[in-house]
Amino acid sequence: MAQVPQTFFDALAVRAWCGLALTALGRAREEIDAINVYPVADGDTGTNLYLTVESAATAVEAVFAGYEAGSAPVGAPSLADAARAMAHGALIGARGNSGTILAQLLRGMAQVLAVEGETPHTGGDGLRLALRHAADSARQAVAHPVEGTVLSVASAAADSAQEVEGDCGTVARAAYRGACVALAATPGQLAVLERAGVVDAGGRGLVAVLAALVETFTGEAPGLLSGAVSAAHARVELAHEVVPARATRPAQVMEPGQVGDCADGTDGEGGPAFEVIYLLEAEDAAVGRLRQRLDALGDSLVVVGGDGLWNVHVHVDDAGAAVEAGVEAGRPYRIRITHFGIDDAHTRGGERPPRERVQRAVVAVVPGEGLARLYTEAGATTVLARPGEPPASGELVEAVRRAHAREVVLLPNDADLRHTAAAAAEQARTEGIRVALIPTRSAVQGIAALAVHEPERRFDEDVVSMTSAAGATRYAEVVVAERQSWTMAGICQAGDVLGLIDGDVAVIGSDVTAVAETVLNRMLAAGGELVTLVLGDEAPGGVAEHLETRVREAYLAVDTVVYRGGRQGALLLIGVE
């Protein structure tokens, strides 16, 4: 079914473009992963670009949802609203070097499209300006730009766009044609690409994104240009033979983050031992000093963003020094440190076969570092979810792949993630992985399911047992209200302590310990044998001891176990089974 074309660049066009780009990258992901040889043959560029655009698309959809739900001003989102959301979503969700550069390209476009106090840039002239500013700002974000990368493709797209007059469709077609020609030329610009017989993976991804832009404004997806991207496809087949199969590389995950490819001046053979990526809250002046510091520490440096929020990517031998540099500049978070270890294709040299898949694994979303450690110790592969930053389906798919198992049990541990988890499970199944989704609504239900997990059992039996254990566990949480609201228990004010049982507000109070005790008493009134308490970092001291004493004195034969969840959002999670 053909896409209904947009006549000019407005919020609906931004929405359509993000959706079409996500679809295009989803189709091309494996192809792009296969040709990722520069500078590290880690085979994840397509996946990183997909996750980056997925984050952008999710942010745009949230803006539209806010208007449709009535939580935003009456009307529809403006072009500025949608463009800023797209840029912000891409920034916070950027993965790898090419994903980080794509985030800066989208930010550069948004800076033109969302300009205030002037006539909106909604026509072909505005799109030309946006593409030019995007390409220029992306080059400025890379410490040492090199030709033959996504930067070359972006510049060529912008150059071609400047040569035509007309509406957005005309400009988008010209940009796409220029990008295709530049992509086909990348092997002649980088020797490592020529040796492998492939085009640049990041550039190939950008061509897919620009094809989606053409479809947004014309209603038709452009065909691959003869003599240009067709050459890329010929090389893809060769790449499957040249690039060794990738095994998952070990990563020290400090917070959910990214993995990467590159567009600067390393040669693709050897290099620093670690990839370090984080989001950073910092002032512009501090970021300037950070660039100098990180440039001296390593290579593949890309710093994108602005207005106080940045995404930092660098390859170094001293990962600690790279993080410390971020601490000196501001507040780094969502830190990920990945070791380019022996499982990387570029260090194996094709001599070691890919490691065998395990038979079964558990993948779980968890809300805090403490729970992540607990789940990991129990053998699960975890995805860390921050308050207000739920993981996208692509992140769950990546975790399923990382588990490297034939059979996977997926625990979303959040009612709001059921659709996201279902989409991830469906995607994993298309890759030949048998996935069972257990609709756990809380991390305490996940703990109960994990406690009865037995990999030696038949898969169906194991899933039934885990589902039964989760379903038999009532769950509750104690949180602080952020604003005035109507609830099942009455009207709450900002700052009130709320006790939620099975997702509904049951208790409103002012004291955390008192609310927690009331919640626990109501839950145990229906019976129970085991109470699980998961304390957040901001829970008051003594609350766990008080509740343990209460259970011991008032409920015979009921055991209590206490875990520390870390920065999990809720002050306290409670499970009764």
Side-chain angles (χ1 to χ4, degrees), residues 456-501:
E456 295 77 18
R457 278 191 299 218
R458 289 178 53 249
F459 185 62
D460 291 340
E461 292 177 355
D462 197 27
V463 170
V464 168
S465 178
M466 294 176 71
T467 302
S468 177
T473 303
R474 300 188 68 196
Y475 65 95
E477 60 182 320
V478 177
V479 300
V480 176
E482 296 181 355
R483 57 184 178 275
Q484 184 186 63
S485 180
W486 289 88
T487 75
M488 296 285 289
I491 300 175
C492 71
Q493 305 295 328
D496 283 348
V497 180
L498 308 180
L500 290 80
I501 300 177

Side-chain angles (χ1 to χ4, degrees), residues 144 271-274 276 278 289-301 314-326 328:
H144 303 286
F274 296 97
V276 178
Y278 48 80
R289 294 190 294 272
L290 175 66
R291 289 179 192 269
Q292 295 177 352
R293 174 87 180 275
L294 293 178
D295 194 26
L297 287 174
D299 58 34
S300 302
L301 174 61
V314 67
H315 292 178
V316 292
D317 283 320
D318 189 344
V323 175
E324 289 172 5
E328 292 175 5

Side-chain angles (χ1 to χ4, degrees), residues 388-414:
E389 299 177 8
S393 63
E395 293 179 74
L396 301 188
V397 173
E398 276 300 286
V400 171
R401 295 183 186 125
R402 196 168 70 242
H404 208 63
R406 298 182 182 90
E407 302 168 337
V408 171
V409 180
L410 182 57
L411 306 175
N413 290 340
D414 186 336

Side-chain angles (χ1 to χ4, degrees), residues 269-342:
E269 300 176 2
F274 296 97
E275 178 184 55
V276 178
I277 309 171
Y278 48 80
L279 291 178
L280 177 70
E281 293 178 357
E283 299 297 327
D284 290 4
V287 172
R289 294 190 294 272
L290 175 66
R291 289 179 192 269
Q292 295 177 352
R293 174 87 180 275
L294 293 178
D295 194 26
L297 287 174
D299 58 34
S300 302
L301 174 61
V302 184
V303 181
V304 304
D307 301 321
L309 181 62
W310 308 83
N311 191 309
V312 179
H313 172 286
V314 67
H315 292 178
V316 292
D317 283 320
D318 189 344
V323 175
E324 289 172 5
V327 173
E328 292 175 5
R331 186 179 79 87
Y333 62 104
R334 292 180 72 173
I335 302 165
R336 184 180 180 102
I337 300 173
T338 303
H339 180 236
F340 295 127
I342 59 172

